[in-house]
Amino acid sequence: MKRWIAYARGYEKGMVYINEGAETALSSKEKAISLLPIGIVKIEGDFEKGEIVKIRNQKNEDIGCGIAQYNSEKAQDVIGKKGAKPLIHYDYLFLE
């Protein structure tokens, strides 16, 4: 289980806001989904690869957290883009 990531609450280095499509995809029980940049609408804070980031929906509700696969600067560059590497891989994603 990935619950150990949930215990990192309070240690997040950044915040990622996602659109409804990404929220729906992440909450799907049918298959494992990573958080792709195409579903990200806004990023707050400065974080490095390997640090914990909080995930919020557009209603400003916490829906989970995960380990960033790259830093906030690169994440800002790929917001909303197709074909980019996932910001948070499924293996390092915890949803509430």
Side-chain angles (χ1 to χ4, degrees):
M1 284 301 235
K2 298 176 276 185
R3 292 181 190 253
W4 64 270
I5 296 171
Y7 292 107
R9 285 192 193 134
Y11 295 99
E12 299 94 351
K13 300 294 182 180
M15 194 101 53
V16 177
Y17 293 85
I18 61 172
N19 62 29
E20 286 183 36
E23 184 176 9
T24 300
L26 290 174
S27 62
S28 169
K29 305 290 185 212
E30 295 178 21
K31 59 182 177 177
I33 301 287
S34 298
L35 178 56
L36 302 174
I38 194 155
I40 299 171
V41 294
K42 182 170 85 169
I43 293 173
E44 292 180 351
D46 292 319
F47 53 86
E48 297 297 323
K49 178 180 178 179
E51 292 184 324
I52 301 288
V53 293
K54 187 181 287 187
I55 303 166
R56 286 191 170 161
N57 63 19
Q58 290 187 292
K59 298 174 191 166
N60 206 31
E61 300 167 329
D62 293 344
I63 63 163
C65 58
I67 298 175
Q69 299 299 301
Y70 42 88
N71 66 29
S72 55
E73 187 176 321
K74 181 175 179 186
Q76 289 285 1
D77 290 341
V78 297
I79 285 177
K81 292 187 179 174
K82 282 186 176 185
K85 177 180 171 185
L87 174 60
I88 302 173
H89 187 275
Y90 172 78
D91 290 342
Y92 304 103
L93 175 67
F94 176 80
L95 299 173
E96 297 178 11

